[in-house]
Structures are given as structure tokens and as C-alpha cells.
């Protein structure tokens, strides 16, 4: 009987579930995405690896845009250096990138095309000028149909100071680390914007060159230390660029922290 108990104990120890191995893989041009990657890796005690382009995108914003457009038109695939780790060794992979033209930057596109993530849990995270988490996540799922794509995190480059706390809340809410987190209530039904709400929207998007929008309807909810608004708006072509898309409806998230000016957090096109 004693031998039976020992055998059962041994079997129990042998079937103990190990913690999943986590990896943070990222591409960063301006160091914003790198900062998010390091924050995630530190909080998870995860391994981290950087994707590097053979021919780096080291120009300014306009030079990068022009090069990227040229490569897209010519069908050029960005070459990347070999990764420093074996992705196959990991269970959960955080994929980080800046958003260019509504999706992940070309070096990340190359990585996702060359790497099979079948059977992996994949968590996207990104930095952007106005938005792109939703569209890039959709593209990621199309490139990796056999991976489990989980909810991701995105932050505007203009809001990097808010990133550490947001990453902390995201990791806790997603169950990757333990701790208390805030779960916002659902937005109520939208209503026509008042003059005061229109002024909040205008103040939030003022000065951002990629938006030429006016709000139509809105809903709001309480968040820690302030209020979050979800505006429906009409985005029109910019006067200085005849290549921008025709008029269309967009969603714009705006946060007003107590005593601070309104700021938009993301745009969903």
C-alpha cells in the first residue's frame, strides 16, 4: 500500500503542468516599440528578441514613408537578419511592431511570412500615430491561420508616458500576471454630440495632421481619474493631400483625465 502511495505521488509530480515559455519578438525603428517590448518582457520575465532589417529604415519620417511606398509599388520584400532565438521553443509569443500604412511594418511582415507560428498563442502589440491594432491583428491572423491570435495592446507614440501603467493593466486583465485591474463598463448607446462634446473632440484631434474629421455621435464612460469618450466621426480628405481616402466614418477614442486636456488614444478606420 505504501508503494502504491509513492507511485501515485511520483505520477502526480510527473504530470505537473509547467509554466508556458514566453517570448517577446519586436521590430522597432524609433525605439517606441522597443520600449513597450522591454516593459512586457520585464513584467513577464520573458525572453526577448529584436528583428533587424538588413538595410535599416534609418531615415526620417518622410524618407521612411517614401522608401516604404517605393518598395510596396515594386513588390520588394524587406530582408531581415536571423533571429537570435528559436521561436519553436516557445508557447506564447508577443509580436511587437510600429504600424505603417495601417498594418505592421515591412520587417515584421517578413518575419511573419518566413516563420510558422502554428499552434502558438500569439499576442500582438504595437505603436502608432493614430491607430492600427485592429487592422494589423486581422492581417496577422491571415498570415498565421493556424496560430491562436489573442487580444493585443496598442499605444500612440504621442502617449508613451501612459504606456507602463497601460501595459500593467493589460497583462493583468489578460491573465498573464496576477494583480488587481480595472474593467471599464460597456459604452452606452451613442447620442448626437452636444456643443461641449464637439469641443472635446476638436481639442483632442487638433494639430494631428492625419485627421480631418468632425464628430457626429458619442458615448462616454467613467475610467480611473477621468472620462473616456467613443466618438463616431466623419473623416474627410486632407486639403494638402489628394491621395487620402474619400469621406468615411471612423471611430475615435478620447480620454479626458481630471484637470487635463482631452487626448485621443486611437482611431479605428
Amino acid at each position: 500500500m505504501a508503494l502504491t502511495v509513492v507511485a501515485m505521488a511520483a505520477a502526480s509530480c510527473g504530470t505537473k503542468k509547467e509554466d508556458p515559455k514566453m517570448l517577446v519578438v519586436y521590430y522597432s525603428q524609433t525605439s517606441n516599440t522597443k520600449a513597450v517590448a522591454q516593459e512586457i518582457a520585464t513584467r513577464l520575465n520573458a525572453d526577448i528578441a529584436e528583428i533587424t532589417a538588413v538595410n535599416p529604415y534609418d531615415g526620417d519620417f518622410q524618407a521612411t514613408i517614401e522608401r516604404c511606398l517605393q518598395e510596396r509599388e515594386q513588390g520588394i520584400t524587406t530582408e531581415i537578419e536571423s533571429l537570435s532565438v528559436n521561436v519553436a521553443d516557445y508557447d506564447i509569443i508577443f509580436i511587437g511592431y510600429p504600424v505603417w500604412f495601417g498594418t505592421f511594418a515591412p520587417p515584421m511582415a517578413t518575419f511573419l511570412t518566413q516563420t510558422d507560428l502554428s499552434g502558438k498563442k500569439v499576442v500582438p502589440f504595437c505603436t502608432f500615430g493614430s491607430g492600427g491594432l485592429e487592422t494589423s491583428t486581422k492581417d496577422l491572423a491571415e498570415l498565421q491561420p493556424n496560430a491562436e491570435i489573442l487580444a493585443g495592446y496598442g499605444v500612440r507614440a504621442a502617449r508613451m508616458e501612459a504606456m507602463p501603467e497601460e501595459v500593467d493593466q493589460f497583462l493583468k486583465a489578460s491573465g498573464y500576471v496576477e494583480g488587481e485591474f480595472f474593467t471599464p463598463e460597456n459604452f452606452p448607446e451613442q447620442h448626437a454630440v452636444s456643443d461641449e462634446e464637439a469641443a472635446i473632440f476638436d481639442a483632442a484631434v487638433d494639430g494631428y495632421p492625419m485627421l480631418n474629421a468632425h464628430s457626429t455621435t458619442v458615448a462616454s464612460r467613467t475610467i480611473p481619474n477621468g472620462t473616456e469618450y467613443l466618438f463616431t466621426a466623419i473623416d474627410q480628405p486632407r486639403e494638402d493631400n489628394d491621395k487620402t481616402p474619400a469621406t468615411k466614418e471612423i471611430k475615435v477614442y478620447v480620454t479626458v483625465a481630471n484637470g487635463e486636456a482631452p487626448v485621443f488614444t486611437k482611431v479605428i478606420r
Side-chain angles (χ1 to χ4, degrees):
M1 183 174 179
L3 289 175
T4 301
V5 172
V6 171
M8 291 175 63
S12 176
C13 291
T15 59
K16 181 180 179 180
K17 185 177 181 180
E18 296 183 359
D19 292 334
K21 292 190 65 176
M22 298 186 184
L23 173 67
V24 178
V25 178
Y26 73 95
Y27 168 73
S28 186
Q29 182 196 23
T30 66
S31 79
N32 284 333
T33 307
K34 179 178 181 179
V36 182
Q38 291 175 330
E39 187 73 28
I40 292 173
T42 298
R43 291 181 182 273
L44 295 178
N45 193 27
D47 291 341
I48 188 169
E50 181 177 9
I51 295 171
T52 304
V54 172
N55 180 17
Y57 292 84
D58 54 5
D60 59 18
F61 175 79
Q62 190 57 41
T64 298
I65 292 298
E66 291 175 358
R67 173 183 164 184
C68 194
L69 279 172
Q70 184 179 33
E71 290 175 342
R72 284 159 59 103
E73 291 173 355
Q74 298 178 3
I76 296 175
T77 298
T78 303
E79 293 185 61
I80 61 174
E81 304 284 356
S82 298
L83 212 59
S84 61
V85 297
N86 184 6
V87 175
D89 294 338
Y90 297 88
D91 306 299
I92 302 177
I93 303 173
F94 288 75
I95 301 289
Y97 47 86
V99 172
W100 296 356
F101 297 96
T103 192
F104 30 75
M108 179 56 72
T110 299
F111 169 78
L112 292 171
T113 300
Q114 296 177 350
T115 308
D116 184 9
L117 300 178
S118 296
K120 309 293 184 183
K121 295 181 183 296
V122 178
V123 185
F125 65 93
C126 60
T127 57
F128 46 74
S130 59
L133 174 63
E134 291 77 13
T135 51
S136 61
T137 298
K138 180 180 177 181
D139 292 342
L140 172 57
E142 291 178 354
L143 282 178
Q144 298 290 337
N146 297 317
E148 183 181 355
I149 311 301
L150 303 177
Y153 168 74
V155 61
R156 284 186 65 206
R159 298 183 59 255
M160 289 299 292
E161 75 283 349
M163 180 270 294
E165 176 61 24
E166 289 184 353
V167 166
D168 176 71
Q169 287 290 296
F170 168 70
L171 294 177
K172 289 175 179 176
S174 302
Y176 301 112
V177 296
E178 296 183 352
E180 296 183 358
F181 59 89
F182 174 77
T183 302
E185 60 188 7
N186 293 328
F187 281 106
E189 184 177 349
Q190 293 213 339
H191 60 266
V193 296
S194 65
D195 291 342
E196 180 181 359
E197 291 164 334
I200 290 173
F201 177 85
D202 293 341
V205 303
D206 181 51
Y208 186 73
M210 306 302 287
L211 275 177
N212 180 28
H214 67 270
S215 56
T216 56
T217 61
V218 66
S220 63
R221 63 186 179 186
T222 300
I223 58 173
N225 302 318
T227 303
E228 182 179 30
Y229 297 84
L230 173 55
F231 287 93
T232 297
I234 302 300
D235 194 22
Q236 303 180 44
R238 304 197 314 273
E239 295 179 359
D240 63 340
N241 190 345
D242 58 6
K243 294 182 179 180
T244 53
T247 300
K248 62 179 180 179
E249 188 177 272
I250 59 176
K251 301 292 184 181
V252 182
Y253 288 76
V254 172
T255 295
V256 182
N258 294 334
E260 298 184 14
V263 59
F264 81 87
T265 57
K266 69 175 179 179
V267 177
I268 300 180
R269 291 182 167 86

